[in-house]
Amino acid sequence: MPSQMTRIAMARHPEGDPVAEDFSLERGAMPEPAEGEILVEVTLLSLDPYMRGRMAPVKSYAPSLSVGDTMTGQGVGRVISSKADGFAEGDLVTGMTGWASHAVLKGNEARKLDSDLPPSTALGVLGMPGFTAWTGLKKYGRPKAGETLVVAAATGPVGAMVGQLAKSQGLRTVAIAGGPEKCRIATETFGFDAAIDHRAHDAASLRKALEEAAPDGIDIYWENVGGKVLEAVLPLMNVHGRIPLCGTIAWYSGSDDIADGLPTVWRSILTKRLSVNGLIIFDHWDGFPDFLREVTPKVAADQITWLEDVAEGLENAPAAFMAMLKGGNTGKQIVKLS
Amino acid sequence: MPSQMTRIAMARHPEGDPVAEDFSLERGAMPEPAEGEILVEVTLLSLDPYMRGRMAPVKSYAPSLSVGDTMTGQGVGRVISSKADGFAEGDLVTGMTGWASHAVLKGNEARKLDSDLPPSTALGVLGMPGFTAWTGLKKYGRPKAGETLVVAAATGPVGAMVGQLAKSQGLRTVAIAGGPEKCRIATETFGFDAAIDHRAHDAASLRKALEEAAPDGIDIYWENVGGKVLEAVLPLMNVHGRIPLCGTIAWYSGSDDIADGLPTVWRSILTKRLSVNGLIIFDHWDGFPDFLREVTPKVAADQITWLEDVAEGLENAPAAFMAMLKGGNTGKQIVKLS
């Protein structure tokens, strides 16, 4: 067993878009598991947009990171030392390892991976992003066959799952994605009925494109982004529409695309009797076993597909994270540790 | 029977706050009921904020008024001629009479009033405003004993009912109202635990006053107004809070009190997992019999109280309506026809 571990720490709170100097690679002594704990050698790490929120110096839905803290995140790895019942050396597990080569986890905070599917699926299609999509669509989207769903960031791991689940339930699905290649992937790989490249449009022409792609209006808008997409979608929402609010990535770094937007949005919610619900998946873990039971066979049978974008090496996690926040990745962003 | 009737028509679409020239008093021939209809002599007319929305030239949740149309509204009156089964001359009824001395209603669009309570209760505490409060609190507020509810326009007929229903279910209730007299009424007449005069505060000091009045945070914000009240309330909303969105009166005439408010509001909905639901009572008429069954005995037993502000004469309806939109009334605004 090596005597040292490495980790990526937050070197300072970012201002606006994160930059390289906001992160630091740190080395330290290998931690030792206490009674009831396991030591894991991390092989795969998940990068997700919510991590940007954790880096802000303000209290959000979870405690924010302090300078010097290891970046939080879910990982997959092998148990190399176990003092927890039910875990043995060599077991493949997933848990909140953080951005680190090794991590100590409590037994009840780790989950053994025993399916035949690739381990990385535990971070994406069968992990937090997939579970977010499944939970939010069911609880707050309340889809009905024949309705129309629009999802932004549609080739990301949440959006792709939302689209596939809705399509399988008989909805018309419209993707919004950044660039022609992602639009192609949205329709060809993920089966969306239509895809719109938001980079090719301002809010006004985006609305026109949406009107063509959603001729019966929009019943469910899966909100990942805010900004001009929200501005274009809102006038097309049908009465009794639903907006599961899962992210506002367009505003993460502070800009505002909608001038005087609030009165318009607030009045639309009223007059169209919309239902807007904030969704943070950490509230819903109770449903995770049901999700795995329902969705794992569909993934195994290729009824639900997924894409990954893999970066190599823990030291490259910050660059991959920064690129992901700007939409530079295609599919679920993973870091493979060497 | 007189040969002429009078009515108030919309003379033009208002720009901003309605003014006297937006209305006209018209005379016309007395209408005659067809088979299945009744002719009603209107004695009481309800004025409600939603009517401002109907005067806008844009499609809203209901068709907007055209120039020359009779102003819409609920009235109470006596049947003076009946061609509908179940109605006889002299019956006291309520229905959508509009702002008029006489109206023809279909039998299935009129409801006979047979309780011992004053007929005006059918327009307020036991009418649309009371039903709005009861429905929205139950469906979208989902109150739990020990929680805190804040309601703006708290001495209005909706707000007063929301406060009394919530208080009876064990919530701490905080009123926001315009001026010291309305604040006194909120606590003394309607039993709110605290009342804050929004006219005495800007958004920042309103927030401080709310922090004192709601030391455990806010679980339910009944949204009647938007503007600076929303701005002050939002940072104090508890996780999993609910916002039944019933009106945005601060913005009815177009001003915006919150600069760059949308990203903040949208992010708050996400991080606090708020549930925001637009409420238009016309969707919920199925529940009206249940409402009457549950609330009528409470009103009869003085467990729920109400206040009315009565203007005299149909010709004075526009002035009373304009004053009401600026908060000039206290309690449910009624017009008594001579």
Side-chain angles (χ1 to χ4, degrees):
Chain A
M1 193 184 302
S3 64
Q4 290 234 304
M5 58 87 76
T6 55
R7 63 188 184 93
I8 305 283
M10 183 178 75
R12 63 184 189 191
H13 296 289
E15 290 183 15
D17 294 327
V19 295
E21 291 72 21
D22 299 330
F23 304 89
S24 63
L25 182 72
E26 307 283 343
R27 283 168 219 286
M30 183 63 65
E32 293 210 11
E35 207 47 47
E37 295 182 336
I38 56 177
L39 176 61
V40 176
E41 180 180 18
V42 179
T43 54
L44 298 168
L45 174 65
S46 176
L47 298 183
D48 302 277
Y50 78 85
M51 296 165 176
R52 173 65 185 85
R54 297 291 176 85
M55 300 180 80
V58 295
K59 186 170 167 285
S60 182
Y61 51 87
S64 65
L65 290 167
S66 298
V67 168
D69 285 352
T70 303
M71 290 289 296
T72 44
Q74 189 187 353
V76 162
R78 290 269 170 207
V79 176
I80 57 174
S81 170
S82 173
K83 291 187 177 168
D85 287 346
F87 293 89
E89 276 180 42
D91 281 351
L92 194 64
V93 298
T94 185
M96 295 301 283
T97 60
W99 298 18
S101 66
H102 297 79
V104 163
L105 299 174
K106 290 184 179 142
N108 60 8
E109 292 172 355
R111 180 167 63 86
K112 275 209 274 191
L113 299 178
D114 44 18
S115 88
D116 294 333
L117 292 164
S120 64
T121 56
L123 302 179
V125 68
L126 293 174
M128 196 158 52
F131 180 47
T132 299
W134 181 84
T135 300
L137 189 64
K138 185 176 285 205
K139 284 202 177 170
Y140 303 129
R142 304 188 291 274
K144 293 192 260 312
E147 290 189 330
T148 298
L149 171 139
V150 170
V151 56
T155 59
V158 176
M161 180 66 108
V162 167
Q164 291 179 90
L165 289 172
K167 182 77 190 167
S168 75
Q169 291 170 58
L171 282 79
R172 176 172 175 80
T173 54
V174 178
I176 298 177
E181 173 61 8
K182 286 188 178 173
C183 286
R184 191 190 61 74
I185 290 169
T187 52
E188 292 183 10
T189 305
F190 295 124
F192 281 89
D193 293 301
I196 298 169
D197 176 5
H198 67 79
R199 293 189 184 157
H201 294 283
D202 61 14
S205 76
L206 187 59
R207 175 175 166 176
K208 285 205 189 93
L210 272 165
E211 275 173 339
E212 284 172 28
D216 298 327
I218 300 166
D219 300 290
I220 305 173
Y221 170 49
W222 184 281
E223 174 65 295
N224 277 326
V225 298
K228 77 177 176 188
V229 178
L230 173 61
E231 184 175 0
V233 160
L234 208 64
L236 305 178
M237 287 298 295
N238 288 331
V239 163
H240 297 130
R242 286 83 66 196
I243 303 182
L245 204 173
C246 183
T248 63
I249 197 167
W251 290 320
Y252 277 9
S253 298
S255 74
D256 179 8
D257 283 338
I258 309 189
D260 287 340
L262 184 57
T264 304
V265 169
W266 224 232
R267 182 155 176 79
S268 293
I269 295 172
L270 170 60
T271 59
K272 296 181 174 182
R273 296 86 106 185
L274 304 181
S275 178
V276 183
N277 286 275
L279 169 62
I280 302 283
I281 198 58
F282 304 110
D283 295 333
H284 302 275
W285 283 124
D286 284 359
F288 194 68
D290 284 344
F291 160 72
L292 285 184
R293 240 187 322 270
E294 182 180 322
V295 179
T296 304
K298 293 183 180 174
V299 173
D302 272 339
Q303 290 163 359
I304 289 178
T305 191
W306 79 97
L307 277 185
E308 288 174 0
D309 199 327
V310 181
E312 298 276 343
L314 181 62
E315 66 280 11
N316 292 317
F321 179 64
M322 292 182 278
M324 181 191 69
L325 288 180
K326 293 184 174 167
N329 62 316
T330 301
K332 169 67 198 162
Q333 183 66 54
I334 302 275
V335 179
K336 196 170 172 184
L337 275 68
S338 27
Chain B
M1 194 183 302
S3 64
Q4 290 234 306
M5 57 88 77
T6 54
R7 64 188 184 93
I8 305 282
M10 182 179 76
R12 63 184 188 191
H13 296 290
E15 290 183 16
D17 294 327
V19 295
E21 291 73 21
D22 300 329
F23 304 88
S24 62
L25 182 72
E26 307 283 341
R27 285 169 217 284
M30 182 66 62
E32 293 212 12
E35 206 48 48
E37 294 182 335
I38 55 177
L39 175 62
V40 176
E41 180 179 17
V42 179
T43 54
L44 298 168
L45 174 64
S46 175
L47 299 183
D48 301 277
Y50 77 85
M51 297 165 174
R52 174 65 184 87
R54 296 292 175 84
M55 300 180 80
V58 294
K59 186 169 167 283
S60 182
Y61 50 88
S64 65
L65 289 167
S66 299
V67 168
D69 285 352
T70 303
M71 290 290 296
T72 45
Q74 190 187 353
V76 163
R78 290 270 168 204
V79 176
I80 56 175
S81 168
S82 173
K83 291 186 177 171
D85 287 345
F87 292 88
E89 275 181 43
D91 281 350
L92 195 63
V93 298
T94 185
M96 295 301 283
T97 60
W99 298 18
S101 66
H102 298 78
V104 164
L105 299 175
K106 289 183 180 143
N108 61 6
E109 292 171 355
R111 181 167 62 87
K112 274 209 273 192
L113 299 178
D114 44 19
S115 89
D116 295 333
L117 291 165
S120 64
T121 56
L123 302 179
V125 68
L126 292 174
M128 195 158 52
F131 180 48
T132 299
W134 181 84
T135 301
L137 189 64
K138 184 176 287 205
K139 284 202 177 171
Y140 303 129
R142 303 188 292 275
K144 292 193 260 311
E147 291 189 330
T148 297
L149 171 139
V150 171
V151 56
T155 60
V158 176
M161 180 64 109
V162 167
Q164 291 180 88
L165 289 172
K167 182 77 189 167
S168 75
Q169 290 170 58
L171 281 80
R172 177 172 175 81
T173 54
V174 178
I176 298 178
E181 174 62 8
K182 286 188 179 174
C183 285
R184 191 190 61 74
I185 290 170
T187 52
E188 292 183 9
T189 304
F190 295 124
F192 281 89
D193 293 300
I196 298 169
D197 176 6
H198 66 78
R199 293 189 184 158
H201 294 282
D202 61 15
S205 77
L206 187 58
R207 176 175 165 175
K208 286 205 189 94
L210 272 165
E211 275 173 339
E212 284 171 28
D216 298 327
I218 300 166
D219 300 290
I220 304 173
Y221 170 50
W222 184 280
E223 174 65 297
N224 276 327
V225 298
K228 76 176 178 187
V229 177
L230 173 60
E231 185 174 359
V233 160
L234 209 64
L236 305 178
M237 286 299 295
N238 288 331
V239 163
H240 297 132
R242 285 83 67 197
I243 303 182
L245 204 173
C246 184
T248 62
I249 197 168
W251 290 321
Y252 277 9
S253 298
S255 74
D256 179 7
D257 283 336
I258 309 189
D260 288 339
L262 184 57
T264 304
V265 169
W266 225 232
R267 183 155 175 79
S268 294
I269 295 173
L270 170 60
T271 60
K272 296 181 174 181
R273 295 86 105 185
L274 304 181
S275 179
V276 184
N277 285 276
L279 169 62
I280 301 283
I281 199 58
F282 304 110
D283 295 334
H284 301 275
W285 283 124
D286 284 358
F288 194 69
D290 284 343
F291 161 71
L292 284 184
R293 240 186 322 269
E294 182 181 322
V295 179
T296 304
K298 293 183 181 176
V299 173
D302 271 339
Q303 290 162 359
I304 288 177
T305 190
W306 78 97
L307 276 185
E308 289 173 359
D309 199 327
V310 181
E312 298 276 343
L314 181 61
E315 66 281 11
N316 293 317
F321 179 63
M322 292 182 277
M324 180 191 70
L325 289 179
K326 294 185 175 167
N329 61 317
T330 301
K332 169 66 197 160
Q333 183 66 55
I334 302 274
V335 179
K336 196 170 172 185
L337 276 67
S338 26

